[in-house]
């Protein structure tokens, strides 16, 4: 009898294939959960950012640093942009020429499966599970993507939704 058809890569294999240090901030892909509700999801989303080479933009709220630390298992620091005023921050990204994509249920939204890879610097704006992206921020979006769901839930948590969109924008899915 022969061995298994699937060979799982060892930690040594993975270390030799991956970067030795985190990439410097390229401002190419930024996940922006600017109105977070639950802390544990931020650290999980930060790990996804590291996996796809993205940065994370979070509001400067007193509980956010601890939330990032609690859910983060990375051994090295990741790229985090601290945001004072989320609306002004989004305006400045647009003025700088970044493509601002909101993850929201909207009539003109593109289905996740049809979302193209980011060809220019892109911000993925994430609202919170209950209220989504605030109405005053919707006019700052260049495009909207929705994640189709057939279950009874209205939305996914910010870490799951952000991870799905980041992998698609990074060209991995």
């Amino acid at each position: 009898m022969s061995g298994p058809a699937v060979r799982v890569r060892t930690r040594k294999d993975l270390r030799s294939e991956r970067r030795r240090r985190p990439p410097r901030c390229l401002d190419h892909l930024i996940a922006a959960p600017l109105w977070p509700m639950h802390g544990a999801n931020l650290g999980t989303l930060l790990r996804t950012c590291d996996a796809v080479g993205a940065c994370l933009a979070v509001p400067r709220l007193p509980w956010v640093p601890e939330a990032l630390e609690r859910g983060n298992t990375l051994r090295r620091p990741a790229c985090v942009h601290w945001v004072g005023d989320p609306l002004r921050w989004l305006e400045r990204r647009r003025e700088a020429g970044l493509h601002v994509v909101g993850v929201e249920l909207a009539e003109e939204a593109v289905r996740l499966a049809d979302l193209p890879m980011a060809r220019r610097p892109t911000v993925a704006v994430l609202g919170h599970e209950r209220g989504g992206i605030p109405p005053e921020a919707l006019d700052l979006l260049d495009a909207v993507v929705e994640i189709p769901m057939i279950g009874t839930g209205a939305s996914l948590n910010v870490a799951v939704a952000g991870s799905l969109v980041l992998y698609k924008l990074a060209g991995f899915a």
Side-chain angles (χ1 to χ4, degrees):
M1 181 180 248
S2 64
V6 176
R7 185 181 90 71
V8 176
R9 291 185 282 174
T10 66
R11 286 186 181 269
K12 183 179 177 182
D13 293 338
L14 293 174
R15 263 195 307 274
S16 70
E17 295 173 9
R18 295 192 179 159
R19 294 184 176 124
R20 297 213 185 281
R21 42 182 110 66
R24 62 183 171 78
C25 178
L26 301 174
D27 264 351
H28 177 68
L29 192 54
I30 303 170
L34 300 174
W35 302 275
M37 279 181 65
H38 306 293
N41 294 328
L42 295 178
T44 301
L45 186 56
L46 184 61
R47 293 195 320 260
T48 298
C49 287
D50 177 72
V52 301
C55 298
L56 182 68
V58 290
R60 205 176 276 285
L61 298 172
W63 58 270
V64 169
E66 192 226 320
L68 287 173
E69 190 63 35
R70 186 172 359 124
N72 179 12
T73 59
L74 300 172
R75 293 187 175 150
R76 294 196 167 97
C79 181
V80 177
H81 298 252
W82 293 98
V83 175
D85 176 356
L87 296 176
R88 182 67 187 127
W89 184 83
L90 284 174
E91 287 173 0
R92 282 183 281 169
R93 300 291 80 72
R94 283 190 73 191
E95 290 166 3
L98 277 74
H99 188 57
V100 180
V101 177
V103 181
E104 188 61 82
L105 299 172
E107 288 183 20
E108 66 278 2
V110 172
R111 287 176 21 129
L112 179 64
D114 299 326
L115 182 67
M117 182 176 100
R119 301 275 184 214
R120 63 180 174 144
T122 301
V123 176
V125 179
L126 301 150
H128 61 70
E129 289 94 349
R130 248 184 239 136
I133 297 172
E136 60 272 17
L138 295 175
D139 288 338
L140 299 173
L141 304 177
D142 296 312
V144 181
V145 61
E146 77 174 15
I147 301 168
M149 296 172 43
I150 60 171
T152 60
S155 68
L156 300 169
N157 74 45
V158 73
V160 173
S163 295
L164 291 169
V165 171
L166 286 174
Y167 267 87
K168 196 74 169 126
L169 288 171
F172 295 148

